Amino acid sequence: MNLLEKGPIPYLEGDKIQRQVHAEVAAGQRPDTLILQEFEPTWTAGRRTKPQDIPDSSLPVIEMDRGGSVTWHGPGQLVCYPIVLMREPIDVVRFVRDMESGIRGAIEGTWQVKTDIVKGRSGVWILREGMIDRKICAIGVRTAQGTSMHGLALNVNPDLESGFGRIIPCGLADASVTSLAEMGVETTLQQVANALVPHLETALRRSQRVNNVHNS
């Protein structure tokens, strides 16, 4: 369900698609599926969101049943939901680590931008000497009926200040955000999707009950 060609869509429209696909995958009516989307500007609040994480309510704030705190979605950001029937016993931490591995492989292998992970914090980070830690890709997932949902938000070329400047991204006051554009990469969401999908497919095979991923 590659919606990048449509341009940004309302967040709840994309969420409705995700939940329909999740139900079909969980019921064995559809293979594991990667959903790729770009959203209209909104903030989503995960289960760990505190009131002080959203000091500005000028954008819609949508409460979601995923892990993590508040984040921004909007134009210039690639959102990918891996809807995967997971191997038992289900290990969500390993699933997140596998996602991080796939994201890092795509960024480093395609654009030679060094990325990192931060102990105790999910997502993919840019760590540079003398600079605050900056997250380039947020991750928030959950499982239901043995199947994963939600996923990752990779900043390609968004307006970081308007998107993240009025919240505490991911509830981390001692960190910041960045993007591929800010790291000197000139690319499009579709090109990033093309690079990301094969890396994610490979990385997530360890967590899949059946190694069969469909990019839609």
Side-chain angles (χ1 to χ4, degrees):
M1 215 151 290
N2 188 340
L3 300 180
L4 297 179
E5 294 179 0
K6 284 183 60 177
I9 64 172
Y11 183 84
L12 289 178
E13 178 182 328
D15 185 61
K16 181 179 179 180
I17 292 169
Q18 177 195 197
R19 293 176 190 278
Q20 178 182 342
V21 172
H22 178 273
E24 294 171 356
V25 172
Q29 299 169 352
R30 182 186 184 99
D32 294 347
T33 301
L34 300 179
I35 302 175
L36 304 170
Q37 297 175 324
E38 180 185 25
F39 292 125
E40 295 175 357
T42 190
W43 290 318
T44 66
R47 294 189 298 270
R48 296 183 181 179
T49 303
K50 301 179 180 66
Q52 60 267 31
D53 295 339
I54 314 175
D56 186 323
S57 58
S58 58
L59 287 181
V61 179
I62 301 174
E63 294 185 4
M64 298 305 299
D65 55 349
R66 59 163 173 80
S69 181
V70 63
T71 193
W72 173 86
H73 296 305
Q77 182 189 74
L78 177 65
V79 175
C80 178
Y81 296 142
I83 312 299
V84 173
L85 191 64
M86 296 183 68
R87 188 187 306 275
E88 296 181 349
I90 292 174
D91 188 340
V92 176
V93 173
R94 186 180 72 176
F95 187 73
V96 171
R97 297 291 89 82
D98 289 342
M99 288 178 65
E100 291 168 346
S101 174
I103 298 160
R104 296 183 68 195
I107 293 174
E108 296 186 359
T110 308
W111 297 286
Q112 292 74 55
V113 174
K114 184 182 182 303
T115 63
D116 295 275
I117 55 174
V118 176
K119 186 176 181 180
R121 294 182 168 180
S122 65
V124 175
W125 295 77
I126 302 294
L127 306 183
R128 299 292 186 267
E129 187 71 27
M131 300 182 68
I132 192 170
D133 295 353
R134 294 169 292 165
K135 183 180 284 191
I136 195 169
C137 185
I139 295 176
V141 300
R142 70 176 289 250
T143 62
Q145 298 175 276
T147 306
S148 64
M149 61 189 309
H150 300 296
L152 66 93
L154 174 57
N155 296 325
V156 179
N157 52 14
D159 183 337
L160 293 174
E161 180 57 32
S162 68
F164 295 99
R166 291 171 289 171
I167 60 172
I168 300 177
C170 304
L172 303 175
D174 61 343
S176 185
V177 293
T178 189
S179 66
L180 287 173
E182 194 171 69
M183 299 306 298
V185 175
E186 295 184 9
T187 187
T188 67
L189 263 68
Q190 188 62 64
Q191 289 170 333
V192 174
N194 293 342
L196 178 64
V197 166
H199 284 274
L200 269 184
E201 289 176 347
T202 298
L204 293 179
R205 286 197 181 110
R206 288 180 294 175
S207 295
Q208 289 175 269
R209 195 177 306 178
V210 179
N211 292 331
N212 182 14
V213 178
H214 175 63
N215 171 27
S216 69

